[in-house]
Coordinates of all heavy atoms in Angstrom, one line a residue:
M1 N -12.6 8.8 22.8 CA -12.0 7.6 22.1 C -11.4 6.7 23.2 O -10.8 7.2 24.2 CB -10.9 8.1 21.1 CG -10.4 6.9 20.3 SD -9.4 7.5 18.9 CE -7.9 7.9 19.8
C2 N -11.5 5.4 23.0 CA -11.0 4.4 23.9 C -9.5 4.4 23.9 O -8.8 4.4 22.9 CB -11.6 3.1 23.6 SG -10.9 1.7 24.6
D3 N -8.9 4.3 25.1 CA -7.4 4.3 25.3 C -6.8 2.9 24.8 O -5.7 2.9 24.4 CB -7.0 4.4 26.7 CG -7.3 5.8 27.2 OD1 -7.3 6.7 26.4 OD2 -7.4 6.0 28.4
I4 N -7.6 1.9 24.8 CA -7.1 0.5 24.5 C -7.2 0.2 23.0 O -6.2 -0.1 22.4 CB -7.8 -0.5 25.4 CG1 -7.5 -0.3 26.8 CG2 -7.4 -1.9 24.9 CD1 -8.3 -1.2 27.8
C5 N -8.4 0.4 22.5 CA -8.5 0.0 21.1 C -8.5 1.2 20.1 O -8.5 1.0 18.9 CB -9.8 -0.8 20.9 SG -11.3 0.2 21.2
H6 N -8.5 2.4 20.7 CA -8.5 3.6 19.9 C -9.7 3.7 18.9 O -9.5 4.2 17.8 CB -7.2 3.8 19.1 CG -6.0 3.7 20.1 ND1 -5.7 4.8 21.0 CD2 -5.1 2.8 20.3 CE1 -4.7 4.4 21.7 NE2 -4.2 3.2 21.3
M7 N -10.8 3.2 19.3 CA -12.0 3.3 18.5 C -13.2 3.8 19.3 O -13.2 3.7 20.5 CB -12.3 1.9 17.9 CG -11.3 1.4 16.8 SD -11.6 -0.3 16.3 CE -13.2 -0.1 15.5
T8 N -14.1 4.4 18.5 CA -15.3 4.9 19.2 C -16.5 4.5 18.3 O -16.6 4.9 17.2 CB -15.3 6.5 19.2 OG1 -14.1 6.9 19.9 CG2 -16.5 7.0 20.0
P9 N -17.4 3.7 18.7 CA -17.3 3.0 20.0 C -16.3 1.9 20.0 O -15.7 1.6 18.9 CB -18.7 2.4 20.2 CG -19.2 2.2 18.8 CD -18.6 3.3 18.0
C10 N -16.1 1.2 21.1 CA -15.0 0.2 21.2 C -15.2 -0.9 20.2 O -16.3 -1.3 19.9 CB -15.0 -0.4 22.6 SG -14.2 0.6 23.8
D11 N -14.0 -1.5 19.8 CA -14.1 -2.7 19.0 C -14.7 -3.8 19.9 O -14.4 -3.8 21.1 CB -12.6 -3.1 18.7 CG -12.5 -4.3 17.8 OD1 -12.7 -5.4 18.3 OD2 -12.3 -4.1 16.6
P12 N -15.5 -4.7 19.4 CA -16.1 -5.7 20.3 C -15.1 -6.5 21.0 O -15.5 -7.1 22.1 CB -17.0 -6.5 19.3 CG -17.1 -5.7 18.1 CD -16.0 -4.8 18.0
R13 N -13.9 -6.7 20.5 CA -12.9 -7.5 21.2 C -12.2 -6.8 22.3 O -11.4 -7.3 23.1 CB -11.9 -8.1 20.2 CG -12.5 -9.2 19.3 CD -11.7 -9.4 18.1 NE -11.6 -8.1 17.3 CZ -11.0 -8.0 16.2 NH1 -10.3 -9.0 15.7 NH2 -11.0 -6.8 15.5
C14 N -12.4 -5.4 22.4 CA -11.7 -4.6 23.4 C -12.3 -4.9 24.8 O -13.5 -5.1 24.9 CB -12.0 -3.2 23.1 SG -11.4 -2.0 24.3
P15 N -11.4 -5.0 25.8 CA -12.0 -5.3 27.1 C -12.9 -4.2 27.7 O -13.6 -4.4 28.6 CB -10.7 -5.4 28.0 CG -9.6 -5.0 27.2 CD -10.0 -5.0 25.7
N16 N -12.7 -3.0 27.1 CA -13.6 -1.9 27.5 C -15.0 -1.9 26.8 O -15.8 -1.1 27.1 CB -12.9 -0.5 27.2 CG -12.0 -0.1 28.3 OD1 -12.0 -0.7 29.3 ND2 -11.2 0.9 28.0
A17 N -15.1 -2.8 25.8 CA -16.4 -2.8 25.1 C -17.5 -3.2 26.0 O -17.4 -4.1 26.8 CB -16.3 -3.7 23.9
P18 N -18.7 -2.5 25.9 CA -19.8 -2.9 26.7 C -20.3 -4.3 26.3 O -20.2 -4.7 25.1 CB -20.9 -1.8 26.4 CG -20.5 -1.3 25.1 CD -19.0 -1.4 24.9
E19 N -20.8 -5.1 27.3 CA -21.3 -6.4 27.0 C -22.6 -6.2 26.2 O -23.3 -5.2 26.5 CB -21.7 -7.1 28.3 CG -20.5 -7.3 29.2 CD -20.2 -8.8 29.3 OE1 -20.2 -9.5 28.3 OE2 -20.0 -9.3 30.4
P20 N -22.9 -7.1 25.3 CA -24.2 -7.0 24.6 C -25.3 -7.1 25.6 O -25.2 -7.6 26.7 CB -24.2 -8.2 23.7 CG -22.8 -8.7 23.6 CD -22.1 -8.2 24.8
Q21 N -26.4 -6.5 25.2 CA -27.6 -6.4 26.1 C -28.0 -7.8 26.6 O -28.1 -8.8 25.8 CB -28.7 -5.7 25.5 CG -29.8 -5.4 26.4 CD -31.1 -4.8 25.7 OE1 -31.0 -4.4 24.5 NE2 -32.2 -4.8 26.4
E22 N -28.3 -7.9 27.9 CA -28.8 -9.2 28.4 C -30.3 -9.3 28.1 O -31.1 -8.4 28.4 CB -28.6 -9.1 29.9 CG -28.9 -10.3 30.7 CD -28.5 -10.2 32.1 OE1 -27.5 -9.5 32.4 OE2 -29.2 -10.8 33.0
V23 N -30.7 -10.4 27.5 CA -32.1 -10.5 27.0 C -32.8 -11.5 27.9 O -34.0 -11.3 28.3 CB -32.1 -10.9 25.5 CG1 -33.6 -10.9 25.0 CG2 -31.2 -10.1 24.7
Y24 N -32.2 -12.7 28.1 CA -32.9 -13.7 28.9 C -31.9 -14.2 29.9 O -30.7 -13.9 29.9 CB -33.3 -14.9 28.0 CG -34.2 -14.5 26.9 CD1 -33.7 -14.7 25.6 CD2 -35.4 -14.0 27.1 CE1 -34.5 -14.4 24.5 CE2 -36.2 -13.6 26.0 CZ -35.8 -13.8 24.7 OH -36.6 -13.5 23.6
T25 N -32.3 -15.1 30.9 CA -31.4 -15.7 31.8 C -31.5 -17.2 31.5 O -32.6 -17.8 31.5 CB -31.8 -15.4 33.2 OG1 -31.8 -14.0 33.4 CG2 -30.9 -16.1 34.2
C26 N -30.4 -17.9 31.4 CA -30.4 -19.3 31.2 C -30.9 -20.0 32.4 O -30.3 -19.8 33.5 CB -29.0 -19.7 30.8 SG -28.8 -21.5 30.6
K27 N -31.8 -20.9 32.3 CA -32.4 -21.6 33.4 C -31.3 -22.6 34.0 O -31.3 -22.9 35.2 CB -33.6 -22.4 33.0 CG -34.4 -22.9 34.3 CD -35.6 -23.6 34.0 CE -36.3 -24.0 35.4 NZ -37.2 -25.1 35.2
L28 N -30.4 -23.1 33.2 CA -29.5 -24.1 33.6 C -28.3 -23.5 34.4 O -28.0 -23.9 35.5 CB -29.0 -24.9 32.4 CG -29.8 -26.1 32.1 CD1 -29.3 -26.8 30.8 CD2 -29.8 -27.2 33.2
C29 N -27.7 -22.6 33.8 CA -26.4 -22.1 34.4 C -26.7 -20.7 35.1 O -25.8 -20.3 35.9 CB -25.3 -21.9 33.4 SG -25.6 -20.6 32.2
G30 N -27.8 -20.1 34.9 CA -28.1 -18.9 35.6 C -27.4 -17.7 35.0 O -27.6 -16.6 35.5
E31 N -26.7 -17.8 34.0 CA -26.0 -16.7 33.3 C -26.9 -16.1 32.3 O -27.8 -16.6 31.8 CB -24.7 -17.2 32.6 CG -23.7 -17.9 33.5 CD -22.9 -16.9 34.3 OE1 -22.6 -15.9 33.8 OE2 -22.6 -17.2 35.5
A32 N -26.5 -14.8 31.9 CA -27.3 -14.1 31.0 C -27.1 -14.7 29.6 O -26.1 -15.2 29.2 CB -26.8 -12.7 30.9
I33 N -28.3 -14.7 28.8 CA -28.3 -14.9 27.4 C -28.3 -13.6 26.8 O -29.2 -12.8 27.0 CB -29.5 -15.8 27.0 CG1 -29.4 -17.1 27.7 CG2 -29.5 -16.0 25.5 CD1 -30.7 -18.0 27.6
R34 N -27.3 -13.2 26.0 CA -27.1 -11.9 25.5 C -27.5 -11.8 24.0 O -27.6 -12.8 23.3 CB -25.7 -11.4 25.7 CG -25.3 -11.3 27.2 CD -23.9 -10.8 27.4 NE -23.6 -10.9 28.8 CZ -24.0 -10.0 29.7 NH1 -24.6 -8.9 29.3 NH2 -23.7 -10.1 31.0
V35 N -27.7 -10.6 23.5 CA -27.9 -10.3 22.1 C -26.9 -11.0 21.3 O -25.7 -10.9 21.6 CB -27.9 -8.8 21.8 CG1 -28.0 -8.5 20.3 CG2 -29.1 -8.1 22.5
G36 N -27.3 -11.8 20.3 CA -26.4 -12.5 19.5 C -26.1 -13.9 19.9 O -25.6 -14.7 19.1
D37 N -26.5 -14.3 21.1 CA -26.3 -15.7 21.6 C -27.4 -16.6 21.0 O -28.6 -16.2 20.8 CB -26.5 -15.8 23.1 CG -25.3 -15.2 23.8 OD1 -24.2 -14.9 23.1 OD2 -25.3 -15.0 25.0
D38 N -27.1 -17.8 20.7 CA -28.1 -18.8 20.3 C -28.7 -19.3 21.5 O -28.0 -19.5 22.5 CB -27.4 -20.0 19.5 CG -26.9 -19.5 18.1 OD1 -27.6 -18.7 17.5 OD2 -25.9 -20.1 17.7
Y39 N -30.0 -19.6 21.5 CA -30.7 -20.1 22.7 C -31.8 -21.0 22.3 O -32.2 -21.0 21.1 CB -31.2 -19.0 23.6 CG -32.4 -18.2 23.0 CD1 -33.7 -18.6 23.3 CD2 -32.2 -17.2 22.1 CE1 -34.8 -18.0 22.7 CE2 -33.3 -16.5 21.6 CZ -34.6 -16.9 21.9 OH -35.7 -16.3 21.3
Y40 N -32.3 -21.8 23.3 CA -33.5 -22.6 23.1 C -34.5 -22.1 24.1 O -34.2 -21.7 25.2 CB -33.2 -24.1 23.4 CG -32.4 -24.8 22.4 CD1 -31.1 -24.9 22.4 CD2 -33.1 -25.4 21.3 CE1 -30.4 -25.6 21.5 CE2 -32.4 -26.1 20.3 CZ -31.0 -26.2 20.4 OH -30.3 -26.9 19.5
E41 N -35.8 -22.1 23.7 CA -36.9 -21.8 24.6 C -37.7 -23.0 24.7 O -38.1 -23.7 23.7 CB -37.7 -20.6 24.0 CG -38.8 -20.2 25.0 CD -39.8 -19.2 24.4 OE1 -39.5 -18.7 23.3 OE2 -40.8 -18.9 25.0
M42 N -38.1 -23.3 25.9 CA -39.1 -24.4 26.2 C -40.0 -24.0 27.3 O -39.5 -23.7 28.4 CB -38.3 -25.7 26.4 CG -39.3 -26.9 26.3 SD -38.4 -28.4 26.5 CE -38.0 -28.3 28.2
D43 N -41.3 -24.1 27.1 CA -42.2 -23.7 28.2 C -41.9 -22.4 28.9 O -42.0 -22.3 30.1 CB -42.3 -24.9 29.2 CG -42.9 -26.1 28.7 OD1 -43.7 -26.0 27.7 OD2 -42.7 -27.2 29.3
G44 N -41.5 -21.4 28.1 CA -41.2 -20.1 28.7 C -39.9 -20.0 29.4 O -39.6 -19.0 30.0
E45 N -39.1 -21.1 29.4 CA -37.8 -21.0 30.0 C -36.7 -20.9 28.9 O -37.0 -21.4 27.8 CB -37.5 -22.3 30.8 CG -38.5 -22.6 31.8 CD -38.4 -21.7 33.1 OE1 -37.6 -20.8 33.1 OE2 -39.2 -21.9 34.0
F46 N -35.6 -20.3 29.2 CA -34.6 -20.0 28.1 C -33.3 -20.7 28.5 O -33.0 -20.8 29.7 CB -34.4 -18.5 28.0 CG -35.6 -17.9 27.5 CD1 -36.6 -17.4 28.3 CD2 -35.9 -17.8 26.1 CE1 -37.7 -16.7 27.9 CE2 -37.0 -17.2 25.6 CZ -38.0 -16.7 26.5
Y47 N -32.6 -21.2 27.5 CA -31.4 -22.0 27.8 C -30.4 -21.6 26.7 O -30.7 -21.4 25.5 CB -31.6 -23.5 27.6 CG -32.7 -24.0 28.5 CD1 -34.0 -24.0 28.1 CD2 -32.4 -24.6 29.7 CE1 -35.0 -24.5 28.9 CE2 -33.4 -25.1 30.5 CZ -34.8 -25.1 30.1 OH -35.8 -25.6 30.9
H48 N -29.1 -21.4 27.1 CA -28.0 -21.3 26.1 C -28.1 -22.5 25.2 O -28.4 -23.6 25.7 CB -26.6 -21.3 26.8 CG -26.4 -20.0 27.6 ND1 -26.2 -20.0 28.9 CD2 -26.3 -18.7 27.2 CE1 -26.0 -18.8 29.3 NE2 -26.0 -18.0 28.3
E49 N -27.7 -22.3 24.0 CA -27.6 -23.5 23.1 C -26.8 -24.6 23.7 O -27.2 -25.8 23.7 CB -27.1 -23.0 21.7 CG -27.0 -24.2 20.7 CD -26.4 -23.7 19.4 OE1 -25.5 -22.9 19.4 OE2 -27.0 -24.1 18.3
D50 N -25.6 -24.3 24.1 CA -24.7 -25.3 24.7 C -25.2 -26.0 25.9 O -25.1 -27.2 26.1 CB -23.3 -24.7 25.0 CG -22.5 -24.3 23.8 OD1 -22.9 -24.7 22.7 OD2 -21.5 -23.6 23.9
C51 N -25.8 -25.2 26.8 CA -26.4 -25.7 28.0 C -27.5 -26.7 27.7 O -27.6 -27.8 28.2 CB -27.0 -24.6 28.9 SG -25.7 -23.5 29.6
F52 N -28.4 -26.3 26.7 CA -29.5 -27.2 26.4 C -29.0 -28.5 25.8 O -29.5 -29.5 26.1 CB -30.4 -26.4 25.4 CG -31.7 -27.1 25.2 CD1 -32.8 -26.8 26.0 CD2 -31.9 -28.0 24.2 CE1 -34.1 -27.4 25.8 CE2 -33.1 -28.6 24.0 CZ -34.2 -28.3 24.8
E53 N -28.1 -28.3 24.8 CA -27.6 -29.5 24.1 C -26.9 -30.5 25.1 O -27.0 -31.7 24.9 CB -26.8 -29.1 22.9 CG -27.7 -28.5 21.9 CD -27.0 -28.1 20.6 OE1 -25.7 -28.1 20.6 OE2 -27.7 -27.6 19.7
D54 N -26.1 -29.9 26.0 CA -25.4 -30.7 27.0 C -26.3 -31.4 28.0 O -25.9 -32.4 28.6 CB -24.4 -29.9 27.7 CG -23.2 -29.5 26.8 OD1 -23.1 -30.0 25.7 OD2 -22.4 -28.7 27.3
N55 N -27.5 -30.9 28.2 CA -28.4 -31.3 29.2 C -29.8 -31.7 28.7 O -30.7 -31.8 29.5 CB -28.5 -30.3 30.3 CG -27.2 -30.0 31.0 OD1 -26.9 -30.7 31.9 ND2 -26.5 -29.0 30.6
A56 N -29.8 -32.0 27.4 CA -31.2 -32.3 26.9 C -31.9 -33.4 27.6 O -33.1 -33.3 27.8 CB -31.0 -32.6 25.4
V57 N -31.2 -34.5 27.9 CA -31.9 -35.6 28.6 C -32.3 -35.2 30.0 O -33.5 -35.5 30.3 CB -30.9 -36.8 28.7 CG1 -31.5 -37.9 29.6 CG2 -30.6 -37.4 27.3
K58 N -31.5 -34.5 30.7 CA -31.9 -34.0 32.0 C -33.1 -33.1 31.9 O -34.0 -33.2 32.8 CB -30.7 -33.3 32.7 CG -31.1 -32.7 34.0 CD -29.8 -32.0 34.6 CE -30.1 -31.0 35.7 NZ -31.3 -31.2 36.5
I59 N -33.1 -32.2 30.9 CA -34.3 -31.3 30.8 C -35.5 -32.1 30.5 O -36.6 -31.8 31.0 CB -34.0 -30.3 29.7 CG1 -32.8 -29.3 30.2 CG2 -35.2 -29.5 29.4 CD1 -32.2 -28.5 29.1
L60 N -35.4 -33.1 29.6 CA -36.6 -33.9 29.3 C -37.1 -34.6 30.6 O -38.3 -34.7 30.8 CB -36.3 -34.9 28.2 CG -36.1 -34.4 26.8 CD1 -35.6 -35.5 25.9 CD2 -37.5 -33.9 26.3
L61 N -36.2 -35.1 31.4 CA -36.6 -35.8 32.6 C -37.2 -34.8 33.6 O -38.3 -35.1 34.2 CB -35.4 -36.5 33.3 CG -34.8 -37.6 32.5 CD1 -33.5 -38.0 33.1 CD2 -35.8 -38.8 32.5
D62 N -36.6 -33.6 33.7 CA -37.1 -32.7 34.8 C -38.3 -31.9 34.3 O -39.2 -31.7 35.1 CB -36.0 -31.6 35.0 CG -34.8 -32.2 35.8 OD1 -34.9 -33.4 36.2 OD2 -33.8 -31.5 36.0
E63 N -38.4 -31.5 33.1 CA -39.4 -30.6 32.6 C -40.5 -31.2 31.8 O -41.6 -30.7 31.7 CB -38.7 -29.5 31.7 CG -37.5 -28.8 32.3 CD -37.8 -27.9 33.5 OE1 -39.0 -27.5 33.6 OE2 -37.0 -27.6 34.3
C64 N -40.3 -32.4 31.2 CA -41.2 -32.9 30.3 C -41.8 -34.2 30.8 O -42.5 -34.9 30.1 CB -40.6 -33.1 28.9 SG -40.0 -31.6 28.2
G65 N -41.5 -34.6 32.0 CA -42.1 -35.9 32.5 C -41.5 -37.1 31.9 O -42.1 -38.2 32.0
A66 N -40.4 -37.0 31.2 CA -39.8 -38.2 30.7 C -39.3 -39.1 31.8 O -38.9 -38.6 32.9 CB -38.6 -37.9 29.8
M67 N -39.4 -40.4 31.6 CA -39.1 -41.4 32.7 C -38.0 -42.2 32.2 O -38.0 -42.7 31.0 CB -40.3 -42.2 33.0 CG -41.5 -41.5 33.6 SD -41.2 -41.1 35.4 CE -41.5 -42.8 36.0
K68 N -37.0 -42.5 33.1 CA -36.0 -43.5 32.7 C -36.2 -44.7 33.7 O -36.4 -44.5 34.9 CB -34.6 -42.9 32.9 CG -33.5 -43.9 32.5 CD -32.1 -43.2 32.7 CE -31.1 -44.2 32.1 NZ -29.9 -44.3 32.9
G69 N -36.1 -45.8 33.1 CA -36.3 -47.0 34.0 C -35.4 -48.2 33.5 O -34.8 -48.0 32.4
V70 N -35.4 -49.2 34.2 CA -34.7 -50.4 33.8 C -35.8 -51.4 33.5 O -36.7 -51.7 34.4 CB -33.8 -51.0 34.9 CG1 -33.1 -52.3 34.4 CG2 -32.7 -49.9 35.2
A71 N -35.8 -52.0 32.3 CA -36.9 -52.9 31.9 C -36.8 -54.2 32.8 O -35.7 -54.7 33.1 CB -36.8 -53.3 30.5
K72 N -38.0 -54.5 33.3 CA -38.0 -55.8 34.1 C -38.9 -56.8 33.4 O -39.7 -56.4 32.5 CB -38.6 -55.4 35.5 CG -37.8 -54.5 36.3 CD -38.3 -54.5 37.7 CE -37.6 -53.4 38.6 NZ -38.4 -52.2 38.7
E73 N -38.8 -58.0 33.8 CA -39.7 -59.0 33.3 C -41.2 -58.6 33.5 O -41.5 -58.1 34.6 CB -39.5 -60.4 34.0 CG -38.4 -61.1 33.4 CD -38.2 -62.5 34.1 OE1 -39.2 -63.2 34.2 OE2 -37.1 -62.7 34.6
D74 N -42.0 -58.9 32.5 CA -43.4 -58.6 32.6 C -44.0 -59.5 33.6 O -43.9 -60.7 33.5 CB -44.0 -58.7 31.2 CG -45.3 -57.9 31.2 OD1 -45.6 -57.2 32.1 OD2 -46.0 -58.0 30.1
G75 N -44.8 -59.0 34.5 CA -45.6 -59.8 35.5 C -44.7 -60.1 36.7 O -45.1 -60.7 37.6
Ligands
ZN112 ZN1 -11.9 0.0 23.5
ZN113 ZN1 -26.5 -21.5 30.2

């Protein structure tokens, strides 16, 4: 039995509780995406939900060939 939470297995909030299994690695932050985390997948790459949503424009530019420009006069 755990000394801290007195449960077997540990309460998930206990500091002794094992981390959920690492399933993917986030391409943006390099941290693990664990069981129970929300994630996005694109072209075989995985992203935390928060990372993806915070960087959606950058990902489109980097990964999807999106272009940003300043419109100029035609001709
Ligand atoms: Zn515990
Ligand atoms: Zn991330």
Side-chain angles (χ1 to χ4, degrees):
M1 186 171 74
C2 174
D3 291 338
I4 295 174
C5 64
H6 304 290
M7 289 174 65
T8 306
C10 281
D11 186 281
R13 288 162 299 179
C14 172
N16 275 349
E19 298 246 49
Q21 190 187 346
E22 185 173 330
V23 189
Y24 306 117
T25 303
C26 175
K27 193 178 181 201
L28 271 173
C29 69
E31 300 281 325
I33 300 170
R34 297 182 185 279
V35 170
D37 287 348
D38 290 326
Y39 71 91
Y40 286 94
E41 179 187 356
M42 194 175 71
D43 288 342
E45 306 283 3
F46 298 89
Y47 305 85
H48 292 115
E49 181 181 41
D50 288 349
C51 291
F52 192 91
E53 291 179 353
D54 288 351
N55 293 279
V57 170
K58 176 178 161 27
I59 292 168
L60 284 174
L61 292 168
D62 289 354
E63 310 287 339
C64 301
M67 296 279 288
K68 184 180 184 219
V70 179
K72 298 194 185 98
E73 274 181 55
D74 199 7

